[in-house]
Amino acid sequence: MINTNEILSKYGLKLTKSLGQNFLTDANIIRKIVDTAEVDENDLVLEVGPGIGALTARLAERAGRVVAVEIDRRLLEPLSETLGGYGNVRVIHADIMKTDLRELTTGWNGSLKVVSNLPYYITSPVIMNMLESGIPWSLLVFMVQKEVVGRMVALPGTKDYSALSVAVRYYADPKLAFHVSRNCFIPKPDVDSAVVKLKRRSLSQPDYLAREFLFRVIRASFSQRRKTLLNSLGKQPWLEGGKERLREALARMGLSEDTRAENLSVEQFIQLASELCKKMPS
Ligand code: SAM
């Protein structure tokens, strides 16, 4: 196991809070993350933010290949020391939000997984980016703030149910894997964490429904979550036919006029968006 304090002092590294640098130091948690991802030699694992490589090394022992994207140039040298013994790891110095994920993963014929202890400041954008990227992942395993996992796995009708919950369920079947105490990191973060496992699934939807339109409907519906759909989604200038059309769509779906975004499952959002994107009779 990599000795984090030793590496940090050897390279004179001060960790940067703004880059979400809380490094995992608990070997048991690292093993549990790799087990949760069921990593084997058939897998290419993409890791966001390897840090000094504590998780990366364990992934490399089990995966066919590991591609790790790290934004902080100062970590490249320590990484070449800690990962030098693994021939199947490629470290890329880049911002994950500006990286062409397809390019990183082309040419691999096995399965693709993404495993990461995500930097806190960009959890939702990275998760959405991975979900929507179009790369053929079969499994995503993320360690994030406990509350974010709560929102990802939330069911309709609960207070945590949000646009993120719907988006996650559109692409995947999410499960809380386990909780992680703040004592497992250097430095100790201000929040507790949890690991979430997202297994890909695909929902059927009509060919004429564009994904962009569906997500526009979802985001607008949750933009003012206390309001009814008629008063949030119904007031969007881009909604052809406006409130009246929405009222009819809700009626066709057997839903009442005071339905709110938090009441709808992802399947119902697909149905609603399908009703709303059909060409209106002229
Ligand atoms: N994987 C290591 C571990 O578990 O100990 C480090 C995890 S730490 C929470 C997050 C890592 O992501 C840091 O190394 C940080 O520098 C890196 N990072 C932050 N923003 C990034 C970005 N936009 N793209 C790539 N890496 C990023």
Side-chain angles (χ1 to χ4, degrees), residues 5 13 49 63 73 78 102 166 209 211 228:
N5 277 325
L13 284 169
R73 180 184 293 282
R102 285 172 188 273
V166 183
L209 172 61
R211 200 175 55 176
T228 61

Side-chain angles (χ1 to χ4, degrees), residues 28-39 62 197:
N28 191 39
I29 297 293
I30 293 177
R31 184 188 49 75
K32 277 172 77 175
I33 295 174
V34 181
D35 287 347
T36 299
E38 300 164 41
V39 176
R62 304 241 308 252
K197 176 174 180 172

